[in-house]
């Protein structure tokens, strides 16, 4: 769990070290909204947004800060903490993860 105030810098730092083909999952505390960031090629990423909207974004590392800031405001508006999972090698099962069972 990371604070929302420092989440942007933490995610960008993690993305620079992320190997090609691996992904990171960002979720709210309740795990009902998520951003899945996949490292496709060198300096190129795909973000799967699943929450208020279900959209796929493509972005280079240059524009990632601005895009993530917009997505954090839309998907995590009232969150103080964000869960960050490093999922390793990407496969289709990771695109649709199960929500928390209550």
């Amino acid at each position: 769990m990371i604070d929302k105030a420092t989440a942007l810098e933490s995610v960008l730092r993690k993305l620079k070290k992320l190997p090609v083909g691996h992904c990171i999952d960002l979720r709210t505390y309740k795990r009902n909204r998520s951003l899945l960031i996949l490292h496709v090629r060198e300096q190129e990423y795909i973000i799967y947004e699943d929450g208020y909207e279900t959209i796929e974004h493509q972005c280079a590392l240059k524009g990632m800060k601005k895009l993530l800031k917009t997505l954090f405001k839309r998907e995590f508006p009232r969150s103080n903490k964000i869960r960050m999972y490093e999922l390793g090698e990407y496969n289709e099962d990771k695109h649709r993860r199960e929500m928390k069972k209550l």
Side-chain angles (χ1 to χ4, degrees):
M1 291 259 259
I2 53 176
D3 287 328
K4 185 180 174 184
T6 61
L8 188 60
E9 290 80 22
S10 299
V11 171
L12 289 174
R13 196 174 324 113
K14 185 73 86 170
L15 288 177
K16 289 178 184 176
K17 298 176 185 175
L18 193 68
V20 175
H22 287 235
C23 58
I24 293 177
D25 190 15
L26 302 171
R27 294 190 170 255
T28 59
Y29 180 77
K30 292 179 6 180
R31 299 182 188 128
N32 58 351
R33 293 184 298 280
S34 70
L35 297 173
L36 184 76
I37 305 172
L38 171 63
H39 191 178
V40 184
R41 281 181 237 110
E42 193 66 33
Q43 303 291 320
E44 197 169 317
Y45 299 87
I46 295 177
I47 301 175
Y48 297 103
E49 179 181 358
D50 187 22
Y52 290 116
E53 297 185 26
T54 306
I55 304 173
E56 181 179 318
H57 305 275
Q58 287 192 330
C59 187
L61 192 59
K62 283 184 181 179
M64 185 65 72
K65 184 174 184 176
K66 184 176 180 181
L67 179 61
L68 282 177
K69 192 179 280 191
T70 304
L71 293 176
F72 281 1
K73 284 182 183 177
R74 181 168 47 215
E75 292 299 330
F76 311 135
R78 293 175 296 278
S79 298
N80 293 320
K81 298 278 187 181
I82 296 175
R83 297 178 188 269
M84 182 165 61
Y85 302 103
E86 192 168 339
L87 301 178
E89 197 73 36
Y90 177 78
N91 59 24
E92 290 298 320
D93 297 338
K94 293 180 181 175
H95 183 67
R96 293 282 175 205
R97 290 185 61 193
E98 291 291 318
M99 289 198 298
K100 183 180 177 182
K101 303 288 187 214
L102 297 177

